[in-house]
Amino acid sequence: MKRFMSVRKNIGIPTIFNLIGPLTNPVALDTQLLGVYRRDILPLLAQTLHQLGRKRALVINGAGHMDEGSLAGENHIALLEEGSVTSFTLNPDEVNLPVYDNDAIKGGNAKDNARILVDVLSGKHGAHRDTVLFNAGLGLFANGTAESIRDGIRVAEESIDSGAAMEKLERLTDYSKKVSSEVI
Amino acid sequence: MKSYLEKLMNRESLTLEEMKQAAATSFSEQTTESELASFLTALRVKGETPEEIAGLAEIIRSQSAQTTDIPIPLWIIAAQVVMVPTVSISAQQPHLSWPAQEPLSPNTATAASQVEREARMCWSTWAFPYPSLKNMSRRCLRKTILHFCLRQMYTPP
């Protein structure tokens, strides 16, 4: 592996190694939502996920070349479904979400980001919430739990507004506190 | 490796199995750096197929599973099955109580010996008593636990 890395460095052109980063997840997955910075390799990666045994997968390059779903405009998507790949684009208005500039969801330091997370899960409206809904919807659709991206967004909305998402966060916080106090 | 390289030079793609074979061979030091460089370049020039990318990804996955830096799942298995210590602290002195030890299954025994090996390494670099058990980084905590395990295995209460 080390020799491979030095060879990679020496030849200086992008190689197959630039493509496989997100594909080496140690957990064996059935379904996957995958964000990538490059737009030209979406179908290639979706086909690769098929080879790796994924039953469903959604590979996305967001508006502004983000490696996740973005509400700033057109998102490029390759969907793996029952062994075949279809490509399409998706605009925020197609899923009834407003358009926001990518700058509107900039994060900050750990404390800022924690506050943003709690705000979103408490039901605060705005660019952060809508982006979370969008990406959660994509994830639920990629997984097959939701029949469409719109459905996925609806499920995500319910999860936040009913307090279920916040409860999950609290359980996670409690668990991690419990574990660390047991260890110490 | 040569046959794969020739195939690529003829602009033919490798199958999933061929790619896995080629990747495994390359990782096992049987290939020179120039062969590796030619291999990667030839793939790039031909254009990588999903089978080739998947083949390499699978080999890397299986390799990294074997050479994980710190075997977290292992010590969890070991800590849960072999020994679940209750830790209490008084006056900055950690104290562990251990349940009675049961016969080990082969898997658990392997895990335990891994923990032991790693803990032995920690032993030499870590000094009691711990200055502060609060605000420890996760890595430090892991080291501490491993140290505890070792300490208890060699000097049971």
Side-chain angles (χ1 to χ4, degrees), chain A residues 1 3-4 6-7 11 13-17 19-20 23-27 44 47-48 51-52 183-184, chain B residues 26-27 29 31 33 36-37 40-41 44 48 50-54 56-58 60-61 87 89 133 141 145:
Chain A
M1 195 70 188
R3 286 177 324 137
F4 252 117
S6 84
V7 167
I11 54 180
I13 52 164
T15 67
I16 188 166
F17 280 98
L19 303 173
I20 54 163
L23 303 173
T24 50
N25 192 326
V27 180
L44 176 69
Q47 288 291 355
T48 305
Q51 290 291 332
L52 287 170
V183 166
I184 294 175
Chain B
S26 326
F27 284 133
E29 313 262 333
T31 41
E33 291 209 359
L36 288 183
L40 294 178
T41 313
R44 172 76 200 280
E48 296 91 350
E51 288 80 4
E52 288 160 349
I53 304 172
L56 180 60
E58 276 186 17
I60 289 183
R61 243 186 67 173
V87 186
I89 301 165
L133 288 163
L141 274 175
I145 293 172

mmCIF file of all heavy atoms in Angstrom, chain A residues 1 3-4 6-7 11 13-17 19-20 23-27 44 47-48 51-52 183-184, chain B residues 26-27 29 31 33 36-37 40-41 44 48 50-54 56-58 60-61 87 89 133 141 145:
data_model
loop_
_atom_site.group_PDB
_atom_site.id
_atom_site.type_symbol
_atom_site.label_atom_id
_atom_site.label_comp_id
_atom_site.label_asym_id
_atom_site.label_seq_id
_atom_site.Cartn_x
_atom_site.Cartn_y
_atom_site.Cartn_z
ATOM 1 N N MET A 1 0.836 -1.201 0.000
ATOM 2 C CA MET A 1 0.000 0.000 0.000
ATOM 3 C C MET A 1 0.872 1.253 0.000
ATOM 4 O O MET A 1 0.621 2.185 -0.743
ATOM 5 C CB MET A 1 -0.896 -0.037 1.243
ATOM 6 C CG MET A 1 -2.048 0.941 1.170
ATOM 7 S SD MET A 1 -3.257 0.423 -0.063
ATOM 8 C CE MET A 1 -4.312 1.853 -0.080
ATOM 9 N N ARG A 3 3.887 1.553 -1.123
ATOM 10 C CA ARG A 3 4.529 1.720 -2.424
ATOM 11 C C ARG A 3 3.550 2.330 -3.411
ATOM 12 O O ARG A 3 3.889 3.189 -4.203
ATOM 13 C CB ARG A 3 5.013 0.358 -2.948
ATOM 14 C CG ARG A 3 6.255 -0.122 -2.209
ATOM 15 C CD ARG A 3 6.663 -1.484 -2.702
ATOM 16 N NE ARG A 3 5.508 -2.292 -3.021
ATOM 17 C CZ ARG A 3 5.407 -3.049 -4.107
ATOM 18 N NH1 ARG A 3 6.391 -3.090 -4.958
ATOM 19 N NH2 ARG A 3 4.334 -3.763 -4.320
ATOM 20 N N PHE A 4 2.299 1.894 -3.336
ATOM 21 C CA PHE A 4 1.273 2.442 -4.203
ATOM 22 C C PHE A 4 1.163 3.956 -4.016
ATOM 23 O O PHE A 4 1.060 4.717 -4.967
ATOM 24 C CB PHE A 4 -0.090 1.814 -3.885
ATOM 25 C CG PHE A 4 -0.553 0.861 -4.940
ATOM 26 C CD1 PHE A 4 -0.744 -0.475 -4.647
ATOM 27 C CD2 PHE A 4 -0.796 1.312 -6.218
ATOM 28 C CE1 PHE A 4 -1.169 -1.357 -5.620
ATOM 29 C CE2 PHE A 4 -1.227 0.435 -7.199
ATOM 30 C CZ PHE A 4 -1.414 -0.895 -6.902
ATOM 31 N N SER A 6 3.456 6.009 -2.918
ATOM 32 C CA SER A 6 4.604 6.772 -3.427
ATOM 33 C C SER A 6 4.562 6.817 -4.954
ATOM 34 O O SER A 6 4.891 7.825 -5.571
ATOM 35 C CB SER A 6 5.924 6.191 -2.902
ATOM 36 O OG SER A 6 6.346 5.118 -3.704
ATOM 37 N N VAL A 7 4.098 5.726 -5.581
ATOM 38 C CA VAL A 7 3.967 5.713 -7.038
ATOM 39 C C VAL A 7 2.947 6.764 -7.469
ATOM 40 O O VAL A 7 3.156 7.524 -8.406
ATOM 41 C CB VAL A 7 3.525 4.309 -7.530
ATOM 42 C CG1 VAL A 7 3.089 4.359 -8.981
ATOM 43 C CG2 VAL A 7 4.651 3.317 -7.356
ATOM 44 N N ILE A 11 3.811 9.794 -10.103
ATOM 45 C CA ILE A 11 3.301 10.004 -11.461
ATOM 46 C C ILE A 11 2.443 11.265 -11.546
ATOM 47 O O ILE A 11 2.270 11.807 -12.619
ATOM 48 C CB ILE A 11 2.591 8.767 -12.081
ATOM 49 C CG1 ILE A 11 1.486 8.262 -11.175
ATOM 50 C CG2 ILE A 11 3.549 7.666 -12.393
ATOM 51 C CD1 ILE A 11 0.775 7.038 -11.773
ATOM 52 N N ILE A 13 -0.455 12.300 -11.865
ATOM 53 C CA ILE A 13 -1.758 12.486 -12.513
ATOM 54 C C ILE A 13 -2.820 11.771 -11.674
ATOM 55 O O ILE A 13 -2.495 10.848 -10.944
ATOM 56 C CB ILE A 13 -1.782 11.915 -13.960
ATOM 57 C CG1 ILE A 13 -1.291 10.453 -13.949
ATOM 58 C CG2 ILE A 13 -0.935 12.763 -14.890
ATOM 59 C CD1 ILE A 13 -1.635 9.679 -15.199
ATOM 60 N N PRO A 14 -4.078 12.207 -11.765
ATOM 61 C CA PRO A 14 -5.117 11.505 -10.999
ATOM 62 C C PRO A 14 -5.217 10.057 -11.478
ATOM 63 O O PRO A 14 -5.178 9.801 -12.683
ATOM 64 C CB PRO A 14 -6.407 12.256 -11.334
ATOM 65 C CG PRO A 14 -6.018 13.472 -12.091
ATOM 66 C CD PRO A 14 -4.636 13.282 -12.608
ATOM 67 N N THR A 15 -5.278 9.115 -10.564
ATOM 68 C CA THR A 15 -5.395 7.702 -10.934
ATOM 69 C C THR A 15 -6.677 7.127 -10.355
ATOM 70 O O THR A 15 -7.467 7.837 -9.757
ATOM 71 C CB THR A 15 -4.208 6.887 -10.383
ATOM 72 O OG1 THR A 15 -4.315 6.882 -8.956
ATOM 73 C CG2 THR A 15 -2.884 7.454 -10.807
ATOM 74 N N ILE A 16 -6.809 5.841 -10.506
ATOM 75 C CA ILE A 16 -7.981 5.119 -10.008
ATOM 76 C C ILE A 16 -8.162 5.355 -8.501
ATOM 77 O O ILE A 16 -9.270 5.316 -7.988
ATOM 78 C CB ILE A 16 -7.837 3.609 -10.329
ATOM 79 C CG1 ILE A 16 -9.115 2.840 -10.009
ATOM 80 C CG2 ILE A 16 -6.654 2.992 -9.616
ATOM 81 C CD1 ILE A 16 -9.157 1.451 -10.598
ATOM 82 N N PHE A 17 -7.048 5.653 -7.811
ATOM 83 C CA PHE A 17 -7.140 5.872 -6.368
ATOM 84 C C PHE A 17 -7.970 7.100 -6.008
ATOM 85 O O PHE A 17 -8.525 7.189 -4.924
ATOM 86 C CB PHE A 17 -5.740 5.999 -5.754
ATOM 87 C CG PHE A 17 -5.097 4.670 -5.536
ATOM 88 C CD1 PHE A 17 -4.202 4.168 -6.447
ATOM 89 C CD2 PHE A 17 -5.412 3.919 -4.418
ATOM 90 C CE1 PHE A 17 -3.629 2.931 -6.255
ATOM 91 C CE2 PHE A 17 -4.844 2.687 -4.208
ATOM 92 C CZ PHE A 17 -3.942 2.191 -5.141
ATOM 93 N N LEU A 19 -10.680 7.759 -7.217
ATOM 94 C CA LEU A 19 -12.096 7.416 -7.339
ATOM 95 C C LEU A 19 -12.604 6.554 -6.199
ATOM 96 O O LEU A 19 -13.799 6.469 -5.956
ATOM 97 C CB LEU A 19 -12.334 6.649 -8.656
ATOM 98 C CG LEU A 19 -11.905 7.340 -9.946
ATOM 99 C CD1 LEU A 19 -12.041 6.381 -11.112
ATOM 100 C CD2 LEU A 19 -12.754 8.578 -10.183
ATOM 101 N N ILE A 20 -11.681 5.870 -5.504
ATOM 102 C CA ILE A 20 -12.163 4.825 -4.618
ATOM 103 C C ILE A 20 -12.316 5.219 -3.157
ATOM 104 O O ILE A 20 -12.831 4.442 -2.376
ATOM 105 C CB ILE A 20 -11.283 3.564 -4.669
ATOM 106 C CG1 ILE A 20 -9.843 3.947 -4.387
ATOM 107 C CG2 ILE A 20 -11.407 2.850 -5.986
ATOM 108 C CD1 ILE A 20 -9.033 2.769 -4.020
ATOM 109 N N LEU A 23 -15.493 4.489 -1.470
ATOM 110 C CA LEU A 23 -16.010 3.146 -1.747
ATOM 111 C C LEU A 23 -15.420 2.093 -0.844
ATOM 112 O O LEU A 23 -15.738 0.919 -0.944
ATOM 113 C CB LEU A 23 -15.712 2.769 -3.207
ATOM 114 C CG LEU A 23 -16.266 3.736 -4.242
ATOM 115 C CD1 LEU A 23 -15.764 3.369 -5.627
ATOM 116 C CD2 LEU A 23 -17.782 3.730 -4.208
ATOM 117 N N THR A 24 -14.532 2.496 0.053
ATOM 118 C CA THR A 24 -13.857 1.513 0.886
ATOM 119 C C THR A 24 -14.423 1.489 2.301
ATOM 120 O O THR A 24 -13.750 1.083 3.231
ATOM 121 C CB THR A 24 -12.345 1.778 0.934
ATOM 122 O OG1 THR A 24 -12.143 3.154 1.258
ATOM 123 C CG2 THR A 24 -11.697 1.490 -0.392
ATOM 124 N N ASN A 25 -15.645 1.927 2.462
ATOM 125 C CA ASN A 25 -16.335 1.856 3.746
ATOM 126 C C ASN A 25 -16.226 0.435 4.319
ATOM 127 O O ASN A 25 -16.590 -0.525 3.653
ATOM 128 C CB ASN A 25 -17.814 2.204 3.506
ATOM 129 C CG ASN A 25 -18.566 2.434 4.801
ATOM 130 O OD1 ASN A 25 -18.280 1.788 5.802
ATOM 131 N ND2 ASN A 25 -19.499 3.351 4.787
ATOM 132 N N PRO A 26 -15.713 0.314 5.528
ATOM 133 C CA PRO A 26 -15.512 -1.041 6.069
ATOM 134 C C PRO A 26 -16.823 -1.769 6.369
ATOM 135 O O PRO A 26 -16.839 -2.987 6.497
ATOM 136 C CB PRO A 26 -14.728 -0.794 7.362
ATOM 137 C CG PRO A 26 -14.934 0.639 7.688
ATOM 138 C CD PRO A 26 -15.198 1.362 6.417
ATOM 139 N N VAL A 27 -17.914 -1.036 6.471
ATOM 140 C CA VAL A 27 -19.205 -1.685 6.736
ATOM 141 C C VAL A 27 -19.789 -2.161 5.403
ATOM 142 O O VAL A 27 -19.775 -1.423 4.418
ATOM 143 C CB VAL A 27 -20.172 -0.700 7.416
ATOM 144 C CG1 VAL A 27 -21.506 -1.370 7.700
ATOM 145 C CG2 VAL A 27 -19.568 -0.146 8.685
ATOM 146 N N LEU A 44 -20.521 6.351 -13.476
ATOM 147 C CA LEU A 44 -19.432 5.393 -13.272
ATOM 148 C C LEU A 44 -19.436 4.895 -11.822
ATOM 149 O O LEU A 44 -19.322 3.696 -11.558
ATOM 150 C CB LEU A 44 -18.090 6.053 -13.608
ATOM 151 C CG LEU A 44 -16.838 5.218 -13.364
ATOM 152 C CD1 LEU A 44 -16.762 4.054 -14.344
ATOM 153 C CD2 LEU A 44 -15.572 6.057 -13.469
ATOM 154 N N GLN A 47 -22.432 2.634 -11.098
ATOM 155 C CA GLN A 47 -22.172 1.285 -11.620
ATOM 156 C C GLN A 47 -21.217 0.526 -10.712
ATOM 157 O O GLN A 47 -21.358 -0.673 -10.492
ATOM 158 C CB GLN A 47 -21.548 1.357 -13.027
ATOM 159 C CG GLN A 47 -22.482 1.791 -14.129
ATOM 160 C CD GLN A 47 -23.544 0.735 -14.435
ATOM 161 O OE1 GLN A 47 -23.519 -0.357 -13.877
ATOM 162 N NE2 GLN A 47 -24.485 1.078 -15.304
ATOM 163 N N THR A 48 -20.217 1.258 -10.200
ATOM 164 C CA THR A 48 -19.251 0.626 -9.308
ATOM 165 C C THR A 48 -19.933 0.151 -8.033
ATOM 166 O O THR A 48 -19.668 -0.946 -7.542
ATOM 167 C CB THR A 48 -18.118 1.611 -8.969
ATOM 168 O OG1 THR A 48 -17.557 2.083 -10.195
ATOM 169 C CG2 THR A 48 -17.042 0.952 -8.152
ATOM 170 N N GLN A 51 -21.469 -3.038 -8.654
ATOM 171 C CA GLN A 51 -20.466 -4.107 -8.617
ATOM 172 C C GLN A 51 -20.123 -4.488 -7.184
ATOM 173 O O GLN A 51 -19.796 -5.636 -6.899
ATOM 174 C CB GLN A 51 -19.179 -3.679 -9.337
ATOM 175 C CG GLN A 51 -19.307 -3.570 -10.842
ATOM 176 C CD GLN A 51 -19.495 -4.934 -11.485
ATOM 177 O OE1 GLN A 51 -19.033 -5.950 -10.953
ATOM 178 N NE2 GLN A 51 -20.195 -4.980 -12.604
ATOM 179 N N LEU A 52 -20.176 -3.495 -6.296
ATOM 180 C CA LEU A 52 -19.816 -3.754 -4.899
ATOM 181 C C LEU A 52 -20.991 -4.328 -4.117
ATOM 182 O O LEU A 52 -20.914 -4.494 -2.900
ATOM 183 C CB LEU A 52 -19.319 -2.460 -4.237
ATOM 184 C CG LEU A 52 -17.927 -1.991 -4.673
ATOM 185 C CD1 LEU A 52 -17.641 -0.590 -4.160
ATOM 186 C CD2 LEU A 52 -16.859 -2.960 -4.174
ATOM 187 N N VAL A 183 -16.082 4.652 31.694
ATOM 188 C CA VAL A 183 -14.680 4.400 31.385
ATOM 189 C C VAL A 183 -13.779 5.081 32.399
ATOM 190 O O VAL A 183 -12.818 4.502 32.901
ATOM 191 C CB VAL A 183 -14.361 4.891 29.950
ATOM 192 C CG1 VAL A 183 -12.866 4.960 29.740
ATOM 193 C CG2 VAL A 183 -14.996 3.967 28.936
ATOM 194 N N ILE A 184 -14.119 6.322 32.757
ATOM 195 C CA ILE A 184 -13.294 7.035 33.720
ATOM 196 C C ILE A 184 -13.672 6.540 35.114
ATOM 197 O O ILE A 184 -12.846 6.207 35.915
ATOM 198 C CB ILE A 184 -13.542 8.558 33.644
ATOM 199 C CG1 ILE A 184 -13.074 9.071 32.298
ATOM 200 C CG2 ILE A 184 -12.751 9.262 34.746
ATOM 201 C CD1 ILE A 184 -13.375 10.507 32.044
ATOM 202 N N SER B 26 -0.129 -6.680 -6.493
ATOM 203 C CA SER B 26 0.628 -5.436 -6.319
ATOM 204 C C SER B 26 0.870 -5.129 -4.854
ATOM 205 O O SER B 26 1.899 -4.596 -4.485
ATOM 206 C CB SER B 26 -0.120 -4.259 -6.928
ATOM 207 O OG SER B 26 -0.814 -4.649 -8.058
ATOM 208 N N PHE B 27 -0.099 -5.463 -4.018
ATOM 209 C CA PHE B 27 0.056 -5.160 -2.595
ATOM 210 C C PHE B 27 1.062 -6.081 -1.927
ATOM 211 O O PHE B 27 1.601 -5.785 -0.886
ATOM 212 C CB PHE B 27 -1.283 -5.260 -1.863
ATOM 213 C CG PHE B 27 -2.176 -4.093 -2.130
ATOM 214 C CD1 PHE B 27 -3.505 -4.275 -2.467
ATOM 215 C CD2 PHE B 27 -1.692 -2.799 -2.031
ATOM 216 C CE1 PHE B 27 -4.334 -3.190 -2.708
ATOM 217 C CE2 PHE B 27 -2.513 -1.709 -2.268
ATOM 218 C CZ PHE B 27 -3.827 -1.901 -2.618
ATOM 219 N N GLU B 29 4.004 -6.902 -2.746
ATOM 220 C CA GLU B 29 5.422 -6.618 -3.019
ATOM 221 C C GLU B 29 6.021 -7.438 -4.152
ATOM 222 O O GLU B 29 7.227 -7.548 -4.257
ATOM 223 C CB GLU B 29 6.287 -6.832 -1.763
ATOM 224 C CG GLU B 29 5.732 -6.204 -0.500
ATOM 225 C CD GLU B 29 6.372 -4.847 -0.181
ATOM 226 O OE1 GLU B 29 7.511 -4.642 -0.595
ATOM 227 O OE2 GLU B 29 5.698 -4.025 0.456
ATOM 228 N N THR B 31 5.608 -6.787 -7.234
ATOM 229 C CA THR B 31 5.708 -5.944 -8.419
ATOM 230 C C THR B 31 6.646 -4.787 -8.140
ATOM 231 O O THR B 31 6.758 -4.327 -7.009
ATOM 232 C CB THR B 31 4.333 -5.361 -8.789
ATOM 233 O OG1 THR B 31 3.676 -4.967 -7.593
ATOM 234 C CG2 THR B 31 3.481 -6.376 -9.496
ATOM 235 N N GLU B 33 8.039 -0.804 -8.646
ATOM 236 C CA GLU B 33 7.342 0.482 -8.678
ATOM 237 C C GLU B 33 7.045 0.913 -10.110
ATOM 238 O O GLU B 33 6.011 1.518 -10.377
ATOM 239 C CB GLU B 33 8.158 1.562 -7.953
ATOM 240 C CG GLU B 33 8.219 1.318 -6.463
ATOM 241 C CD GLU B 33 8.361 2.600 -5.656
ATOM 242 O OE1 GLU B 33 8.435 3.692 -6.270
ATOM 243 O OE2 GLU B 33 8.411 2.512 -4.420
ATOM 244 N N LEU B 36 3.956 -0.816 -11.216
ATOM 245 C CA LEU B 36 2.777 -0.187 -10.608
ATOM 246 C C LEU B 36 2.408 1.090 -11.351
ATOM 247 O O LEU B 36 1.245 1.343 -11.663
ATOM 248 C CB LEU B 36 3.038 0.158 -9.136
ATOM 249 C CG LEU B 36 3.108 -0.991 -8.140
ATOM 250 C CD1 LEU B 36 3.302 -0.456 -6.735
ATOM 251 C CD2 LEU B 36 1.835 -1.814 -8.213
ATOM 252 N N ALA B 37 3.446 1.907 -11.630
ATOM 253 C CA ALA B 37 3.205 3.180 -12.314
ATOM 254 C C ALA B 37 2.595 2.931 -13.691
ATOM 255 O O ALA B 37 1.624 3.588 -14.084
ATOM 256 C CB ALA B 37 4.508 3.962 -12.436
ATOM 257 N N LEU B 40 -1.127 1.796 -13.286
ATOM 258 C CA LEU B 40 -2.061 2.889 -12.970
ATOM 259 C C LEU B 40 -2.273 3.797 -14.184
ATOM 260 O O LEU B 40 -3.387 4.231 -14.465
ATOM 261 C CB LEU B 40 -1.543 3.717 -11.775
ATOM 262 C CG LEU B 40 -1.499 2.981 -10.436
ATOM 263 C CD1 LEU B 40 -0.925 3.883 -9.353
ATOM 264 C CD2 LEU B 40 -2.881 2.495 -10.031
ATOM 265 N N THR B 41 -1.168 4.070 -14.900
ATOM 266 C CA THR B 41 -1.267 4.947 -16.066
ATOM 267 C C THR B 41 -2.087 4.288 -17.168
ATOM 268 O O THR B 41 -2.946 4.916 -17.786
ATOM 269 C CB THR B 41 0.135 5.289 -16.598
ATOM 270 O OG1 THR B 41 0.951 5.672 -15.490
ATOM 271 C CG2 THR B 41 0.085 6.435 -17.589
ATOM 272 N N ARG B 44 -5.685 4.449 -16.463
ATOM 273 C CA ARG B 44 -6.194 5.805 -16.638
ATOM 274 C C ARG B 44 -6.404 6.112 -18.127
ATOM 275 O O ARG B 44 -7.437 6.645 -18.522
ATOM 276 C CB ARG B 44 -5.204 6.799 -16.013
ATOM 277 C CG ARG B 44 -5.490 8.247 -16.285
ATOM 278 C CD ARG B 44 -6.649 8.736 -15.422
ATOM 279 N NE ARG B 44 -7.252 9.940 -15.957
ATOM 280 C CZ ARG B 44 -6.747 11.153 -15.797
ATOM 281 N NH1 ARG B 44 -5.633 11.326 -15.123
ATOM 282 N NH2 ARG B 44 -7.361 12.191 -16.322
ATOM 283 N N GLU B 48 -11.056 3.849 -16.516
ATOM 284 C CA GLU B 48 -11.396 2.808 -15.545
ATOM 285 C C GLU B 48 -12.862 2.402 -15.675
ATOM 286 O O GLU B 48 -13.730 3.245 -15.839
ATOM 287 C CB GLU B 48 -11.135 3.296 -14.114
ATOM 288 C CG GLU B 48 -9.674 3.601 -13.809
ATOM 289 C CD GLU B 48 -9.274 5.057 -14.075
ATOM 290 O OE1 GLU B 48 -10.093 5.790 -14.677
ATOM 291 O OE2 GLU B 48 -8.169 5.439 -13.679
ATOM 292 N N PRO B 50 -16.315 0.279 -14.002
ATOM 293 C CA PRO B 50 -16.856 -0.008 -12.669
ATOM 294 C C PRO B 50 -16.270 -1.284 -12.075
ATOM 295 O O PRO B 50 -15.980 -1.326 -10.880
ATOM 296 C CB PRO B 50 -18.354 -0.182 -12.929
ATOM 297 C CG PRO B 50 -18.630 0.630 -14.140
ATOM 298 C CD PRO B 50 -17.386 0.549 -14.976
ATOM 299 N N GLU B 51 -16.049 -2.314 -12.907
ATOM 300 C CA GLU B 51 -15.498 -3.577 -12.390
ATOM 301 C C GLU B 51 -14.094 -3.361 -11.845
ATOM 302 O O GLU B 51 -13.736 -3.909 -10.807
ATOM 303 C CB GLU B 51 -15.446 -4.651 -13.498
ATOM 304 C CG GLU B 51 -16.789 -5.223 -13.905
ATOM 305 C CD GLU B 51 -17.551 -4.316 -14.865
ATOM 306 O OE1 GLU B 51 -16.987 -3.272 -15.281
ATOM 307 O OE2 GLU B 51 -18.706 -4.641 -15.207
ATOM 308 N N GLU B 52 -13.305 -2.571 -12.561
ATOM 309 C CA GLU B 52 -11.926 -2.332 -12.108
ATOM 310 C C GLU B 52 -11.902 -1.521 -10.811
ATOM 311 O O GLU B 52 -11.148 -1.842 -9.892
ATOM 312 C CB GLU B 52 -11.139 -1.612 -13.216
ATOM 313 C CG GLU B 52 -10.833 -2.527 -14.390
ATOM 314 C CD GLU B 52 -10.512 -1.778 -15.671
ATOM 315 O OE1 GLU B 52 -10.711 -0.546 -15.730
ATOM 316 O OE2 GLU B 52 -10.082 -2.427 -16.635
ATOM 317 N N ILE B 53 -12.737 -0.495 -10.743
ATOM 318 C CA ILE B 53 -12.774 0.317 -9.519
ATOM 319 C C ILE B 53 -13.254 -0.539 -8.348
ATOM 320 O O ILE B 53 -12.670 -0.517 -7.262
ATOM 321 C CB ILE B 53 -13.695 1.539 -9.697
ATOM 322 C CG1 ILE B 53 -13.256 2.370 -10.912
ATOM 323 C CG2 ILE B 53 -13.668 2.420 -8.453
ATOM 324 C CD1 ILE B 53 -14.224 3.479 -11.266
ATOM 325 N N ALA B 54 -14.314 -1.315 -8.587
ATOM 326 C CA ALA B 54 -14.867 -2.151 -7.518
ATOM 327 C C ALA B 54 -13.844 -3.194 -7.053
ATOM 328 O O ALA B 54 -13.709 -3.448 -5.858
ATOM 329 C CB ALA B 54 -16.149 -2.825 -7.982
ATOM 330 N N LEU B 56 -10.543 -3.047 -7.081
ATOM 331 C CA LEU B 56 -9.515 -2.429 -6.246
ATOM 332 C C LEU B 56 -10.096 -2.055 -4.879
ATOM 333 O O LEU B 56 -9.480 -2.296 -3.839
ATOM 334 C CB LEU B 56 -8.946 -1.179 -6.943
ATOM 335 C CG LEU B 56 -7.866 -0.437 -6.157
ATOM 336 C CD1 LEU B 56 -6.663 -1.338 -5.892
ATOM 337 C CD2 LEU B 56 -7.411 0.813 -6.889
ATOM 338 N N ALA B 57 -11.308 -1.483 -4.892
ATOM 339 C CA ALA B 57 -11.942 -1.073 -3.625
ATOM 340 C C ALA B 57 -12.102 -2.272 -2.698
ATOM 341 O O ALA B 57 -11.836 -2.178 -1.500
ATOM 342 C CB ALA B 57 -13.296 -0.415 -3.888
ATOM 343 N N GLU B 58 -12.483 -3.417 -3.254
ATOM 344 C CA GLU B 58 -12.682 -4.600 -2.405
ATOM 345 C C GLU B 58 -11.371 -5.076 -1.791
ATOM 346 O O GLU B 58 -11.336 -5.453 -0.621
ATOM 347 C CB GLU B 58 -13.321 -5.736 -3.209
ATOM 348 C CG GLU B 58 -14.828 -5.584 -3.270
ATOM 349 C CD GLU B 58 -15.517 -6.765 -3.930
ATOM 350 O OE1 GLU B 58 -14.892 -7.835 -4.061
ATOM 351 O OE2 GLU B 58 -16.685 -6.601 -4.325
ATOM 352 N N ILE B 60 -8.687 -3.230 -1.215
ATOM 353 C CA ILE B 60 -8.259 -2.265 -0.202
ATOM 354 C C ILE B 60 -9.063 -2.449 1.079
ATOM 355 O O ILE B 60 -8.518 -2.416 2.178
ATOM 356 C CB ILE B 60 -8.403 -0.829 -0.735
ATOM 357 C CG1 ILE B 60 -7.342 -0.592 -1.807
ATOM 358 C CG2 ILE B 60 -8.255 0.191 0.395
ATOM 359 C CD1 ILE B 60 -7.329 0.782 -2.362
ATOM 360 N N ARG B 61 -10.343 -2.693 0.916
ATOM 361 C CA ARG B 61 -11.201 -2.909 2.083
ATOM 362 C C ARG B 61 -10.713 -4.107 2.891
ATOM 363 O O ARG B 61 -10.598 -4.047 4.108
ATOM 364 C CB ARG B 61 -12.630 -3.162 1.635
ATOM 365 C CG ARG B 61 -13.591 -2.116 2.110
ATOM 366 C CD ARG B 61 -14.987 -2.510 1.762
ATOM 367 N NE ARG B 61 -15.390 -3.692 2.521
ATOM 368 C CZ ARG B 61 -16.616 -4.183 2.510
ATOM 369 N NH1 ARG B 61 -17.542 -3.612 1.776
ATOM 370 N NH2 ARG B 61 -16.923 -5.235 3.216
ATOM 371 N N VAL B 87 -14.772 0.504 37.131
ATOM 372 C CA VAL B 87 -13.686 1.388 37.504
ATOM 373 C C VAL B 87 -14.188 2.423 38.504
ATOM 374 O O VAL B 87 -15.195 3.076 38.280
ATOM 375 C CB VAL B 87 -13.127 2.125 36.273
ATOM 376 C CG1 VAL B 87 -11.903 2.929 36.647
ATOM 377 C CG2 VAL B 87 -12.826 1.145 35.169
ATOM 378 N N ILE B 89 -12.722 5.672 41.109
ATOM 379 C CA ILE B 89 -11.538 6.487 41.327
ATOM 380 C C ILE B 89 -11.633 7.158 42.690
ATOM 381 O O ILE B 89 -12.629 7.759 43.020
ATOM 382 C CB ILE B 89 -11.422 7.587 40.263
ATOM 383 C CG1 ILE B 89 -11.364 6.950 38.875
ATOM 384 C CG2 ILE B 89 -10.205 8.457 40.497
ATOM 385 C CD1 ILE B 89 -11.613 7.942 37.788
ATOM 386 N N LEU B 133 -7.515 12.288 35.233
ATOM 387 C CA LEU B 133 -8.330 11.344 34.464
ATOM 388 C C LEU B 133 -9.448 12.058 33.734
ATOM 389 O O LEU B 133 -10.066 11.518 32.834
ATOM 390 C CB LEU B 133 -8.899 10.266 35.380
ATOM 391 C CG LEU B 133 -7.830 9.282 35.848
ATOM 392 C CD1 LEU B 133 -8.313 8.498 37.040
ATOM 393 C CD2 LEU B 133 -7.441 8.346 34.725
ATOM 394 N N LEU B 141 -7.639 7.520 26.764
ATOM 395 C CA LEU B 141 -8.550 6.656 27.504
ATOM 396 C C LEU B 141 -8.361 5.209 27.099
ATOM 397 O O LEU B 141 -8.326 4.314 27.933
ATOM 398 C CB LEU B 141 -9.998 7.064 27.229
ATOM 399 C CG LEU B 141 -10.535 8.176 28.121
ATOM 400 C CD1 LEU B 141 -11.912 8.567 27.668
ATOM 401 C CD2 LEU B 141 -10.549 7.729 29.563
ATOM 402 N N ILE B 145 -7.298 2.158 29.434
ATOM 403 C CA ILE B 145 -8.062 0.929 29.618
ATOM 404 C C ILE B 145 -7.183 -0.294 29.345
ATOM 405 O O ILE B 145 -7.174 -1.259 30.103
ATOM 406 C CB ILE B 145 -9.283 0.903 28.682
ATOM 407 C CG1 ILE B 145 -10.253 1.986 29.115
ATOM 408 C CG2 ILE B 145 -9.945 -0.456 28.713
ATOM 409 C CD1 ILE B 145 -11.381 2.169 28.169
#
